[in-house]
C-alpha cells in the first residue's frame, strides 16, 4: 500500500519514472503469479499447505525489502531491482488464495465433524471477511503515523521533514517484514496436520457415507409410496374406472326408463347435469363407498 510513497518520498522518483516503474512492477507480478501456478498445484499435492505458506511468507519478508533497500544504490539499475522485487512478490504470493481456501476448508470440516455434520461455512467466511477488512484500519493507522511524524501531502518530496521520510522508509523495510514474519509463524503453528488431518479426512468420509445412505433410503421410501409403483396402488387406480363405467351405464338406463315413463323428473335433481347427463361416480377415499345420486341408491 505504501509502495508509491516509498518510491516518491524515499527514493525521490518523479512522476514519469514512477509510472514506468509501476508498470514494470505490475506486469512482472502478474506474469510470475500465473507462470508459477502449475508448480504450486504440483507442490501442494505433496507438501502441507501451511508449510508452503509459512516458507513463502518468510522468503517474501526477506527478499522484497532487500530489493527495495538496494534502490538507494545509484550504481544499480532501478528497473532491474524493481523487476526483481516484483518477481519475488509474484512468485511468493501466487498460491495464497489456494492455500487459504484449503486451510479454511479443513477448519470448517473439523468444526462440522465436532457438530455431527452441522457445517458453518457462512460464519467462518464472515469472520474471514471481517479480518480482511481490518487491514483497511491498519492502513489508516499507518497513514496517521506518517502525519504524526510530520508528513505533509501538500509539500513536495524534497520539502518533507526527515522524520516523515524515515517513518515511510521504516514502515516499508521493517513494518512490512514484521507482518509477514508473523503470518509465517501463525501458518507454521497451524494445528490440522499429520495424524489429526488423516483422522479428519476419515471422519468426513464416514459422515458423507452416512449422509448418502440416509438420502438413498429416503428416496427408496418415497418411491415405495408413490402412486402407481405398487400392485395395491395399481388395483386401487383401476377399480374406480371400472366402477365408473358400470355406474354410468346404470344411470343411463335409469334415465331412459324415466323418459319412457314420462312421469317427470326424479325425486331429486342431485347429480344431474344440464341435458340429463350424469357425472362420473366418485369413489370415496375414506370409506370406499360409491357416492351416487339418492334416487339411484339401493
Amino acid at each position: 500500500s505504501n509502495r508509491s510513497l516509498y518510491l516518491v518520498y524515499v527514493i525521490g522518483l518523479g512522476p514519469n519514472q514512477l509510472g514506468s516503474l509501476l508498470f514494470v512492477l505490475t506486469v512482472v507480478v502478474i506474469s510470475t503469479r500465473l507462470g508459477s501456478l502449475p508448480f504450486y498445484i504440483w507442490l501442494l499435492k505433496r507438501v502441507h499447505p501451511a508449510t508452503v505458506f509459512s516458507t513463502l511468507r518468510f522468503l517474501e519478508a526477506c527478499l522484497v525489502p532487500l530489493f527495495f533497500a538496494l534502490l538507494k544504490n545509484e550504481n544499480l539499475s532501478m528497473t532491474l531491482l524493481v523487476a526483481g522485487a516484483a518477481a519475488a512478490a509474484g512468485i511468493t504470493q501466487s498460491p495464497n488464495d489456494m492455500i487459504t481456501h484449503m486451510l479454511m476448508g479443513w477448519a470448517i470440516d473439523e468444526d462440522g465433524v465436532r457438530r455431527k455434520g452441522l457445517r458453518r461455512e457462512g460464519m467462518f467466511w464472515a469472520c474471514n471477511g471481517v479480518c480482511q477488512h481490518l487491514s483497511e484500519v491498519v492502513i489508516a493507522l499507518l497513514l496517521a503515523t506518517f502525519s504524526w511524524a510530520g508528513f505533509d501531502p501538500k509539500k513536495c518530496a524534497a520539502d518533507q521533514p526527515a522524520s516523515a521520510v524515515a517513518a515511510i522508509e521504516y514502515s516499508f523495510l521493517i513494518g512490512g517484514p514484521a507482518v509477514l514474519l508473523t503470518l509465517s509463524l501463525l501458518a507454521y503453528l497451524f494445528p490440522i496436520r499429520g495424524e489429526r488431518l488423516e483422522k479428519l479426512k476419515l471422519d468426513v468420509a464416514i459422515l458423507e457415507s452416512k449422509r448418502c445412505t440416509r438420502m438413498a433410503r429416503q428416496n427408496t421410501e418415497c418411491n415405495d409410496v408413490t402412486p402407481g409403483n405398487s400392485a395395491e396402488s395399481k388395483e386401487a387406480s383401476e377399480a374406480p374406472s371400472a366402477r365408473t363405467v358400470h355406474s354410468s351405464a346404470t344411470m343411463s338406463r335409469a334415465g331412459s326408463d324415466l323418459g319412457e315413463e314420462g312421469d317427470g323428473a326424479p325425486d331429486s335433481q342431485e347429480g344431474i347435469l344440464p341435458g340429463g347427463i350424469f357425472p362420473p361416480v366418485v369413489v370415496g377415499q375414506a370409506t370406499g363407498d360409491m357416492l351416487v345420486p339418492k334416487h339411484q341408491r339401493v
Side-chain angles (χ1 to χ4, degrees), residues 1-3 25-26 28-37 39-40 44 52-65 68 84-101 172 176-177 179-180 183:
S1 60
N2 56 349
R3 185 186 305 119
L25 188 145
T26 303
V28 174
V29 166
I30 295 176
S31 301
T32 52
R33 278 193 177 189
L34 296 176
S36 57
L37 275 178
F39 167 74
Y40 285 117
L44 290 173
V52 176
F53 187 86
S54 177
T55 304
L56 293 178
R57 296 289 73 74
F58 180 80
L59 292 176
E60 184 181 3
C62 297
L63 294 177
V64 176
F68 277 91
I91 293 173
T92 55
Q93 295 175 4
S94 178
N96 282 1
D97 289 338
M98 289 190 295
I99 293 175
T100 300
H101 283 75
F172 192 85
V179 173
L180 292 174
L183 293 176

Side-chain angles (χ1 to χ4, degrees), residues 46-128:
R46 294 161 176 81
V47 183
H48 194 282
T51 302
V52 176
F53 187 86
S54 177
T55 304
L56 293 178
R57 296 289 73 74
F58 180 80
L59 292 176
E60 184 181 3
C62 297
L63 294 177
V64 176
L66 176 62
F67 279 107
F68 277 91
L70 292 175
L71 289 174
K72 286 188 172 182
N73 191 336
E74 298 179 355
N75 297 325
L76 300 177
S77 173
M78 191 173 297
T79 302
L80 291 179
L81 289 175
V82 170
I91 293 173
T92 55
Q93 295 175 4
S94 178
N96 282 1
D97 289 338
M98 289 190 295
I99 293 175
T100 300
H101 283 75
M102 293 175 72
L103 300 182
M104 183 71 74
W106 286 334
I108 295 172
D109 286 342
E110 189 172 70
D111 179 75
V113 169
R114 291 177 179 177
R115 293 178 170 272
K116 307 300 182 182
L118 177 63
R119 298 174 63 85
R120 301 187 294 178
E121 284 95 339
M123 186 197 70
F124 276 88
W125 287 112
C127 294
N128 181 70

